[in-house]
Amino acid sequence: MAQISEAIRDGAEGFFKTQYGTISKMAVLLALVILSIYLFRNTTPQQESSGLGRATSACITVAAFLLGALCSGVAGYVGMWVSVRANVRVSSAARRSAREALQIAVRAGGFSALVVVGMAVIGIAILYATFYVWLGVDSPGSMKVTDLPLLLVGYGFGASFVALFAQLGGGIYTKAADVGADLVGKVEQGIPEDDPRNPAVIADLVGDNVGDCAARGADLFESIAAEIISAMILGGTMAQHCKIEDPSGFILFPLVVHSFDLVVSSIGILSIRGTRDSNVKVPLEDPMTILQKGYSVTIILAVLTFFGSTRWLLYTEQAPSAWLNFSLCGLVGIITAYVFVWITKYYTDYKHEPVRTLALSSSTGHGTNIIAGVSLGLESTAIPVLVISVSIISAFWLGHTSGLVDETGSPTGGLFGTAVATMGMLSTAAYILTMDMFGPIADNAGGIVEMSQQPESVREITDVLDAVGNTTKATTKGFAIGSAALASFLLFSAYMDEVSSFAREPFKQVDIAIPEVFIGGLLGSMLIFLFSAWACAAVGRTAQEVVKEVRRQFIERPGIMDYKEKPDYGRCVAIVASASLREMIKPGALAIVSPIVVGFLFRVLGHYTGHPLLGAKVVAALLMFATVSGILMALFLNTAGGAWDNAKKFIETGALGGKGSESHKAAVTGDTVGDPFKDTAGPSLHVLIKMLATITLVMAPVFL
């Protein structure tokens, strides 16, 4: 076990160093581009009044960008560092009892989750405090505290930049290895999953760590950072409009909520206790039920702390009952998160109808399995969209009626209400991330058990944990898409605010009836489809190389099948590592370059046709349409992929003929098709949505 775990650790750490080396070079390049743009751009009236020169604001933005990128990288590294060490402990615990294995996997996931959320909070807190002291905020003739959050935008962009490449590179790596191992091992050679005779098995297990732990850590780090910054910007703007005497409560509120998240999620994680009784070989109860209990504990505590924080920080004399409205907005967000987790579980867990119907369709062949999976994925977009719509409207309405009004007497709390709902949704992020990290750790433990040829009873325990891990991974993706939808809505509003402060004229709505603006929208939707296509194609191309290599080893080393020869695991690891680094550049570059090029071209066009704000309007449309298409596309890809995977798992439990039957082979085909959907294109999409929003915020001066 220790030997196999070491091979996985070496592979994961080797790939991580190379991948982040490449990402850091690209980050430095992009930092230089941002620096040059900021040195030649116009300044805003706020910056002029506070005496912030172009050089200062350029250095601030670049420093924030690089810090965000660094923290995001560290968050990913911690996720991977923990998982490559925890997997062997879980597989060892599975020899004693199911409950102990579950506890170790959850606590390992919990540790990295708490570090990720803690990094997001402390990074922004340090930046905020540094700028506050260094720029002498709120002293006469210097910057107002309400304008300070706009300086933090670079941090969010740095975080999402790293998260996008981590998700793309890791996603291509994990799925290419998985598809290659499954197609040759299971379908052609008929050997079980994670069999030591399969040359691609170590690459597959390494992929779980770099694709699921490292990439998801960077992804949720970026979600929280983007949401904290956009909520701080909106809180500051609202406090300014409403002439609130001490606006710091509204600005620092997101940091306090996420600090409480660390406490309530820790309690939720610690509520899952294990037993060391070696006589208890049978699983005591369904692990999903145990995890759900922990989640319920976390949610109850989150509601209580949320109400406390709103009363403490959002109480103002002007509108004494406003804090109550905002705490209800938070409640809307918390309920939305819970509902999202439940919907995804319904569509991807084999205890429920949809996956069982999908498994049944495998009994009539490969084609019917694919048709059923695609239609299930398409159908699964409906309820989440309705839930997001209801939550945005109800949070906006609650904020709007909070009693906070600007100088003209019109209510202004609507957008901040939506921001508070997003905070509510992410107020249990650490526990959600724990459930997510639990998945790959359990998957790896199962692989180690299979490769070290442990008794069947141990494999049964890790199989149960692995199936639950698949569902929790799917639910986290659902949760991440929901929060991405709300966060991009906020970042979009922040973008419009920033454009109006640069252009020195109001920028309140975008008219799709203007042909150029409509084209911007079309380009935004196209960007999502092209990006998904390139991400899936990258997995396909890399998987083909793996399949050829695995076939070659089986032909040239016939002794592998009788355990007489050892397969060359390192060869597959090397193929996947170099291919995924090469393949992640194209879709990533598309995401960064598109909005800048589109905005710049239409800015030039607007300059000659007498429409000074045309560039900004077209980019706004691109953002809106990309967000809408991206959310639907990500829901479809994640749910279809998760359902195919669990339909295969359901058949492997002995249903419909069990392992090796014709329906199992059809289900493996479905799972192979779903792999790049759920672990490469889907997760990369919700990072892309938020990165488009942060990149437009940072690059706003280019479009004007």
Side-chain angles (χ1 to χ4, degrees):
M1 278 184 174
Q3 224 173 358
I4 296 159
S5 162
E6 212 159 284
I8 296 171
R9 187 185 312 172
D10 291 346
E13 288 179 349
F15 176 69
F16 194 90
K17 280 190 188 120
T18 325
Q19 184 193 23
Y20 276 75
T22 312
I23 294 175
S24 55
K25 283 176 200 147
M26 292 191 290
V28 171
L29 260 177
L30 194 55
L32 292 172
V33 172
I34 295 172
L35 184 68
S36 51
I37 287 173
Y38 270 65
L39 285 174
F40 297 110
R41 67 170 209 176
N42 303 327
T43 48
T44 63
Q46 290 95 328
Q47 287 172 341
E48 281 169 16
S49 65
S50 61
L52 255 193
R54 282 181 188 176
T56 320
S57 78
C59 293
I60 283 176
T61 308
V62 169
F65 170 77
L66 290 172
L67 183 69
L70 178 74
C71 290
S72 188
V74 172
Y77 183 71
V78 167
M80 186 209 67
W81 191 91
V82 171
S83 68
V84 293
R85 284 160 176 76
N87 51 21
V88 68
R89 297 177 188 186
V90 176
S91 44
S92 166
R95 291 156 62 194
R96 295 188 288 278
S97 84
R99 193 71 195 249
E100 193 191 339
L102 173 73
Q103 183 191 5
I104 292 175
V106 168
R107 291 201 174 167
F111 173 75
S112 36
L114 293 172
V115 171
V116 167
V117 178
M119 288 275 304
V121 173
I122 205 164
I124 293 176
I126 288 172
L127 261 189
Y128 181 88
T130 310
F131 291 160
Y132 193 93
V133 176
W134 182 45
L135 300 170
V137 172
D138 275 353
S139 54
S142 70
M143 195 170 213
K144 287 197 190 72
V145 70
T146 46
D147 298 326
L148 186 56
L150 273 169
L151 298 177
L152 307 176
V153 173
Y155 185 85
F157 179 36
S160 53
F161 173 79
V162 170
L164 182 71
F165 282 102
Q167 190 71 70
L168 271 172
I172 294 167
Y173 188 110
T174 177
K175 286 305 116 180
D178 193 3
V179 169
D182 280 2
L183 283 179
V184 186
K186 281 188 193 171
V187 180
E188 292 178 12
Q189 301 288 340
I191 55 179
E193 188 162 358
D194 299 331
D195 191 291
R197 292 169 290 182
N198 194 331
V201 66
I202 293 280
D204 183 10
L205 294 171
V206 168
D208 292 332
N209 294 299
V210 293
D212 285 331
C213 295
R216 195 76 72 258
D219 172 7
L220 259 180
F221 170 84
E222 175 263 340
S223 279
I224 294 165
E227 178 266 335
I228 290 179
I229 292 167
S230 55
M232 287 170 94
I233 292 173
L234 290 172
T237 317
M238 188 188 73
Q240 203 172 1
H241 287 319
C242 301
K243 300 271 185 280
I244 290 170
E245 279 173 22
D246 181 17
S248 57
F250 285 85
I251 296 170
L252 296 175
F253 180 62
L255 289 172
V256 173
V257 170
H258 287 291
S259 309
F260 272 126
D261 170 20
L262 295 169
V263 179
V264 298
S265 295
S266 306
I267 297 171
I269 293 160
L270 292 173
S271 70
I272 297 171
R273 307 197 90 83
T275 58
R276 284 202 71 141
D277 183 2
S278 54
N279 303 330
V280 193
K281 278 290 181 198
V282 285
L284 300 175
E285 54 186 307
D286 177 21
M288 195 71 208
T289 321
I290 301 173
L291 289 172
Q292 286 283 8
K293 277 183 191 163
Y295 187 43
S296 307
V297 170
T298 311
I299 278 196
I300 293 164
L301 291 170
V303 171
L304 297 174
T305 54
F306 208 94
F307 271 76
S309 334
T310 38
R311 174 68 184 84
W312 169 36
L313 290 165
L314 302 184
Y315 178 79
T316 86
E317 296 296 329
Q318 283 140 310
S321 67
W323 71 271
L324 190 62
N325 279 40
F326 288 130
S327 51
L328 290 174
C329 292
L331 191 62
V332 166
I334 291 172
I335 293 168
T336 307
Y338 194 80
V339 172
F340 249 91
V341 168
W342 193 88
I343 294 167
T344 322
K345 186 166 157 281
Y346 172 73
Y347 277 111
T348 54
D349 193 343
Y350 61 64
K351 291 186 196 64
H352 302 290
E353 191 61 29
V355 176
R356 296 201 167 205
T357 314
L358 176 55
L360 193 62
S361 70
S362 309
S363 56
T364 49
H366 300 244
T368 43
N369 169 284
I370 302 293
I371 294 168
V374 170
S375 55
L376 182 148
L378 292 169
E379 182 198 311
S380 71
T381 57
I383 308 174
V385 167
L386 295 174
V387 172
I388 291 175
S389 312
V390 170
S391 61
I392 288 181
I393 286 179
S394 44
F396 190 90
W397 183 82
L398 278 165
H400 198 67
T401 54
S402 62
L404 285 169
V405 290
D406 60 11
E407 309 96 69
T408 58
S410 48
T412 56
L415 273 176
F416 189 67
T418 324
V420 175
T422 315
M423 282 178 244
M425 190 159 181
L426 286 167
S427 64
T428 51
Y431 192 85
I432 298 272
L433 186 55
T434 302
M435 295 210 303
D436 183 66
M437 297 272 190
F438 162 81
I441 292 173
D443 192 349
N444 257 219
I448 293 173
V449 165
E450 180 70 50
M451 282 189 72
S452 55
Q453 294 166 335
Q454 298 297 320
E456 194 56 37
S457 61
V458 181
R459 180 72 213 193
E460 274 168 18
I461 289 176
T462 54
D463 272 350
V464 170
L465 291 183
D466 187 14
V468 169
N470 263 341
T471 309
T472 59
K473 277 196 294 195
T475 52
T476 321
K477 286 169 194 157
F479 171 82
I481 295 167
S483 59
L486 290 173
S488 356
F489 179 65
L490 299 181
L491 287 163
F492 184 71
S493 316
Y495 165 70
M496 294 181 80
D497 275 356
E498 189 173 13
V499 169
S500 61
S501 73
F502 273 117
R504 308 186 186 206
E505 57 179 281
F507 183 52
K508 289 274 184 270
Q509 66 254 24
V510 180
D511 184 0
I512 302 178
I514 300 169
E516 291 90 346
V517 176
F518 181 70
I519 290 169
L522 270 179
L523 291 172
S525 294
M526 177 214 72
L527 173 65
I528 296 296
F529 281 80
L530 188 59
F531 178 86
S532 309
W534 284 0
C536 289
V539 174
R541 278 194 297 272
T542 314
Q544 283 171 352
E545 291 182 38
V546 179
V547 167
K548 284 176 193 159
E549 172 60 27
V550 175
R551 279 179 185 157
R552 183 189 68 77
Q553 289 201 26
F554 276 129
I555 293 165
E556 290 178 9
R557 302 183 178 194
I560 290 178
M561 287 304 283
D562 317 325
Y563 298 102
K564 285 180 183 144
E565 281 185 82
K566 207 177 168 191
D568 180 2
Y569 300 124
R571 186 83 197 91
C572 285
V573 172
I575 287 175
V576 186
S578 64
S580 53
L581 288 174
R582 190 176 62 241
E583 297 280 4
M584 76 180 183
I585 307 286
K586 195 167 83 168
L590 173 79
I592 293 167
V593 173
S594 305
I596 301 175
V597 170
V598 169
F600 185 71
L601 287 177
F602 280 99
R603 170 202 166 168
V604 174
L605 184 69
H607 178 70
Y608 287 112
T609 55
H611 294 101
L613 282 182
L614 189 65
K617 285 176 180 167
V618 171
V619 169
L622 179 135
L623 245 186
M624 261 195 265
F625 280 70
T627 304
V628 171
S629 318
I631 286 162
L632 291 170
M633 185 69 137
L635 281 167
F636 160 67
L637 294 171
N638 284 335
T639 317
W644 267 317
D645 195 348
N646 273 344
K648 176 198 72 175
K649 287 267 190 295
F650 177 59
I651 293 175
E652 284 174 355
T653 59
L656 303 168
K659 287 184 185 178
S661 63
E662 283 308 310
S663 45
H664 181 239
K665 282 181 182 165
V668 170
T669 304
D671 177 34
T672 311
V673 173
D675 274 341
F677 279 23
K678 72 175 195 304
D679 284 322
T680 313
S684 303
L685 271 180
H686 55 251
V687 185
L688 169 72
I689 295 167
K690 285 170 304 208
M691 196 184 85
L692 286 174
T694 49
I695 200 171
T696 46
L697 262 177
V698 173
M699 299 291 184
V702 180
F703 316 138
L704 297 169

